[in-house]
Structure formats: C-alpha cells, structure tokens
C-alpha cells in the first residue's frame, strides 16, 4: 500500500500547486505603483503628465489608467468608470490612449479548467488501477474493511521450548498442533476437534507467548490479530474485517487464527456503557457467524487470549465456538524457577546467584514480572560495568520491581524516621509471631518510589490455593500492626497508616460479603464489586441487598477489625522490648534482613 500512498501524495501536491499558481496569476494584475484619485488629479492639474493610457477591464466600465510623468515615472490608478476618467483627462487637454477591451484569457479560461479536470481524472484512475492490481479483492478505495491479520508461514523461530513451566497448558495445545499436523488420526475415531480455544489468565502469564510458540511448532499458516484491530470508528468496518480474515483463513486451511486480547471485541453485549457499542456488537456477531460457518473439521482453529473472561459475552463460550478454555495460571515455585532459567540463558550469572531461592521469594510473580526482574538485575550489573549478574543486582532489582526503587536521597526528619521505624517494627513483629503469615524477609525505613515511608516484606513460603479465615484475620492484624505500634509508643497517631487501614478494611469486608465468614450475616454473597465494568448494568438493577443488611455488614466489618486490633495490640505489647530494639536497629541501619530481625527475639 505504500506505493499507492506515495503517488496519492504526488498528485495531491501537483493539484495544490496548480491551484496556487492560478491564484498567483490573478494577483499579478493588481501589482504596481498605485495612485489615489486625488494624487492623480493634482498631477494632471500641474501638467506633469506626459502619457495616459486607459485599459478597460473585461468587466467594463471598470479599468485602470497608467500615466507616465514627464520625469519618466509610471503610476497606475484603478477606476470604476473608464469613460468618466477619459473625459477628465481630456478636460485637462490631454489625449489618452484608450486600449480596447481585452480578449478572454484563453489559458485561464479554457485550457486550465480542462487541465485540472484531466489531472483529477487521471489521479482517480491511477488510484483505482493500482488498487486493483495489488489487492486481491479489487475496487476498494481505501482498505478499511480489509483484515489486518498478519500471516506467518513457518518463519517463526519460537517453539514450545521457549515457554517455561505451564506444563498442562502446553499439553493441551500440543493436541491442537497434532490435529493440524495429522487430522486423520482424530477423524478416524470420530473425534471432534475444538473450533476455538480460549487462553485466559492474568496479564503477563504468557498467553501471547504460548500462542506464538504454537505457531512456531505447528508449522501451518498462522494468522494473528489483536482484538482492538477490529474496533474502528466506522460502523461495519470491524465486521467486514472479520469476514475478510476468515475468508483468507479458509484459503490457507489448515491454519490457526489467533485473536489476542479478544475482550476488546467480545465484550458482553447490551451493557450500554460507553456508547458506540453498535460497532462492537456487529463485529462480535460477525465473529460468531463466521465461527458457526465453517465446518467442524475444516482445519481452522481459532485461538484467542484474554485476561478478562468474566466480561466476555457468554455466546462466545458456547459449544461450537470457543468450547475449550485453557486457563494460564501464575507460575508456582517450580515454574518460576524454569522461567528464570529461560530468561537467564543470555545473562551470565555470578556463582552467588541462586535461582531456586529467587523463585521461592517471588510467589505471585508472573512470567513477565520475572523477566522484568532479571532484566533490571542485568541493567544494575551493566551500570556497575560488570559483565555478569550478581545476587546483589537481583536483590536491588527485586526491591525496584516489587516496591519501586529506593530513594535514599530524600531527606526525612528524625522524627518521621522514628515513627516509620516503630511502624514497620509493628508490622514485622506480627509477621514473625503469627503462624500463617511471614516470615520477614526485609524490614526497611528507606522511602520507596511509590510513596511509602518504609516497608516490611514477608517471605512467602508456599503458594496458596485459597485463603482461610485464620489467615485473613492474620492479614488484617499485620496491616494494623503499624498503626498499633505508633499508638503504643507515641500516644498519638499519624496518617502514614492510610493504605494499611484501607487494606485491612477491604479484607474484612470481603470476609463478610464474599466468603460468608461472619456469623450474623451468614453464608450469602452480598458482594458485587468484581463487576465494575458493568456499572451500567448494575445501576439498572436493584441492589442485591437491603439497607438493613448493609448496616449489618458494616457492623460485622467493624467487629472483625476491632477484634483483630485488640488481639494484635496484645501481641505487640507482649513483645514491647523487641519493638524498641527493632526500631533502634532500623534507625541505625535503615534496612535489616531476616537473620538480623530474628536475632532480636532471643
Ligand atoms: P500475556 O499473558 O499478557 O499475553 P505475554 O505472553 O505477553 O503475557 O508474556 C510477557 C512476557 O513474559 C513474555 O514475552 C516472556 O518474556 C515472559 N513470560 C511469560 N510467561 C512466560 C513463560 N511461561 N516462560 C517464559 N517466559 C514467560
Ligand atoms: Mg498478551
Ligand atoms: Zn504500614
């Protein structure tokens, strides 16, 4: 399309140039050294004028008079009535030269318009022509409706070996690859191969990566497109793109069509938020129609990825469409170690780097986070002009990725520092004492990039499938620990505990409304805040509970928080000596590690 664009601009420039040229020609005629009528008359009176030449315009009686003074100077006067001015001149005894009315300007009036029209015609002709010869479905002026899918035909070097962990996910996808390679094996036994496979999972868990790896592995044509490519300003464009893409895919079967971030098009219909959903609905309808349209074993498999299955239109998940769902989970310890290994391949590691230990301290990190972690570490190494990555680099990167870079340079008053030290010590003690949380990995009072005055980082030891009531209560207690320590020591409280309090309240509210963990409310879900995307729908619906229940919920939340506060305060009071020693150590060293912290309890 580039070539066409170029010629388009060339013609455009030519036309603009011609237009400017005409305007310039027009202005030519009103240039010169002009006179006012008064000046003109006084020159006549003083008998300074040697020659007067009257040139009527085409639109008589207007015209101009050019006079040549006796000194040789020439001046022009524009007049509305040449007859009047001729009489005036004759009145002063001068005999003016009167030119005849000019001929039509043949160039401007006949040739130029023809030229212009011809140019425009040629321009359009060329546009259409090049479109026809280069495009396969000709006649379209602009290719709005054309699919933007990128086709790759086995030039993809990536394979499943580049995807670490995700064992089950890979196995499921290998089935698909098998089918495309050898369909007979499946159809012989009457197996129906899924038409669509939906990869779902948190951002950065490797969905796009998996799809690319499959493309490399399958050795069949692979169309990839992003959901947002379908969403255009013009109604109907998205639908037309979908049609186009599937037409193309059928021509290349067996093949894989990959739609990344499909939630952009396949959002639940009719929620009425944000307006302009007509276009998206049409696009989605077209997608559904196309997926229903091709036969079961026709050899097209549609792969799609999303991190928001919850907002997808249910129609898309019906059998015969995306009937296979693969959830791509955040990696577990083993997976994390494998991912670290993959990304450490091209980074020389010092012998003090222990990937296993890093994997253990990064529960909750996705593949993308881990990749980022190692990359930051490598940057740290490079900044030190080292050619290998040390454990120290990774430690720094860990804090930078997890918390935002430490800002040692910010100046904080001693009082602030002291409050922060006690605050963090309060968190840390609870992490240490409570059985289901912690242990403490680092406690620091170095301010972080995200505006926290300090932080206490626990060392997650296990990946948890679900939370228990006890664990959630301990989480609340730990969050409150900072505020409690401030209260015990300073007899006053600060605003520094804002996010702690917010977090504690959120956990407590969820315990009541989502997990049925309070006696008075019972095992009922009153929680609808994971549907935020559908504000429109929620506004239209009645609230799922009455004001009375809302009051009850608030009461329950408060009682959970109060109870946790009391219990946590008792624990901290019991370890008050540790609190003081910990705060002192923090003030001295700014950051202490696990061993240093645990030594305080002896
Ligand atoms: P998403 O699930 O959001 O599509 P991506 O597939 O784009 O995530 O992953 C982002 C990056 O994270 C990848 O380019 C890769 O470097 C890294 N990554 C994620 N998961 C893995 C994995 N299982 N193995 C190796 N690298 C991974
Ligand atoms: Mg992605
Ligand atoms: Zn805190």
């Amino acid at each position: 399309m580039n070539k066409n664009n170029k010629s388009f601009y060339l013609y455009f420039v030519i036309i603009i140039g011609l237009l400017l040229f005409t305007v310039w020609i027009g202005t030519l005629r009103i240039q010169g050294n002009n006179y006012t009528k008064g000046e003109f008359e006084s020159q006549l009176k003083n008998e300074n004028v040697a020659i007067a030449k009257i040139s009527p315009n085409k639109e008589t009686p207007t015209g101009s008079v050019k006079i040549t003074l006796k000194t040789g100077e020439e001046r022009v006067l524009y007049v509305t009535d040449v007859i009047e001015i001729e009489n005036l001149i004759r009145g002063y005894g001068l005999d003016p030269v009167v030119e005849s009315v000019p001929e039509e300007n043949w160039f401007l009036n006949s040739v130029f318009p023809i030229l212009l029209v011809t140019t425009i015609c040629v321009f359009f002709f060329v546009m259409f022509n090049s479109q026809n010869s280069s495009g396969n479905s000709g006649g379209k002026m602009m290719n709005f409706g054309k699919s933007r899918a990128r086709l790759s035909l086995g030039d993809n070097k990536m394979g499943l070996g580049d995807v670490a962990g995700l064992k089950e996910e890979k196995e499921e996808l290998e089935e698909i690859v098998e089918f495309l390679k050898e369909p007979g094996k499946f159809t012989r036994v009457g197996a129906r191969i899924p038409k669509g496979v939906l990869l779902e999972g948190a951002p950065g868990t490797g969905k796009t990566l998996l799809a690319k790896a499959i493309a490399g592995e399958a050795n069949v044509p692979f169309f990839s497109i992003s959901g947002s490519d379908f969403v255009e300003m013009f109604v109907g464009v998205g639908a037309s793109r979908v049609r186009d893409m599937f037409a193309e895919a059928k021509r290349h079967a067996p093949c894989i069509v990959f739609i990344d971030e499909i939630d952009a098009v396949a959002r639940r219909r009719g929620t009425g938020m944000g307006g302009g959903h007509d276009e998206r609905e049409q696009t989605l309808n077209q997608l559904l129609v196309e997926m229903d349209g091709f036969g079961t074993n026709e050899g097209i498999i549609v792969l799609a990825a999303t991190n928001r299955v919850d907002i997808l239109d249910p129609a898309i998940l019906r059998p015969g469409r995306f009937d296979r769902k693969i959830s791509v989970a955040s990696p577990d310890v083993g997976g994390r170690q494998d991912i670290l290994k993959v990304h450490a391949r091209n980074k020389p590691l010092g012998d003090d780097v222990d990937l296993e230990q890093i994997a253990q301290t990064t529960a909750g990190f996705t593949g993308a986070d881990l990749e980022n972690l190692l990359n930051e570490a490598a940057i740290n190494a490079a900044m030190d002009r080292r050619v290998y990555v040390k454990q120290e680099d990774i430690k720094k990167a860990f804090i930078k990725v997890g918390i935002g870079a430490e800002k040692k340079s910010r100046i904080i008053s001693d009082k602030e520092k002291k409050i922060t030290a006690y605050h963090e010590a309060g968190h840390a003690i609870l992490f240490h004492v409570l059985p289901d949380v912690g242990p403490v990995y680092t406690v620091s009072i170095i301010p972080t990039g995200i505006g926290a005055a300090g932080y206490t980082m626990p060392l997650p030891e296990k990946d948890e499938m679900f939370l228990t009531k006890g664990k959630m209560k301990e989480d609340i207690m730990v969050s409150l620990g900072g505020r409690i320590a401030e209260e015990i020591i300073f007899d006053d409280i600060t605003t520094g505990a804002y996010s702690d309090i917010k977090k504690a309240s959120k956990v407590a509210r969820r315990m009541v409304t989502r997990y049925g963990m309070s006696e008075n409310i019972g095992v009922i879900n009153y929680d609808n805040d994971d549907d935020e995307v559908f504000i429109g729908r929620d506004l239209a619906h009645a609230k799922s509970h009455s004001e009375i229940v809302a009051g009850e919920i608030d009461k329950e939340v408060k009682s959970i928080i109060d109870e946790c506060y009391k219990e946590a305060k008792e624990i901290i009071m019991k370890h008050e000596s540790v609190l003081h020693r910990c705060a002192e150590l923090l003030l001295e060293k700014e950051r202490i590690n696990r061993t240093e912290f645990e030594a305080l309890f002896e």
Side-chain angles (χ1 to χ4, degrees), residues 276-297:
H277 55 277
D278 266 5
E279 157 67 349
R280 201 164 41 215
E281 283 190 8
Q282 277 194 19
T283 310
L284 174 56
N285 285 339
Q286 189 63 39
L287 186 66
L288 297 178
V289 166
E290 292 290 345
M291 287 195 73
D292 288 341
F294 56 80
T296 306
N297 290 328

Side-chain angles (χ1 to χ4, degrees), residues 423-424 427 454-456 478-479 481-483 486 496-500:
H423 180 108
E424 296 306 331
H427 285 309
Y455 58 88
T456 305
V478 166
S479 296
R483 160 60 67 93
E486 286 178 33
Y498 163 72
S499 59
D500 291 337

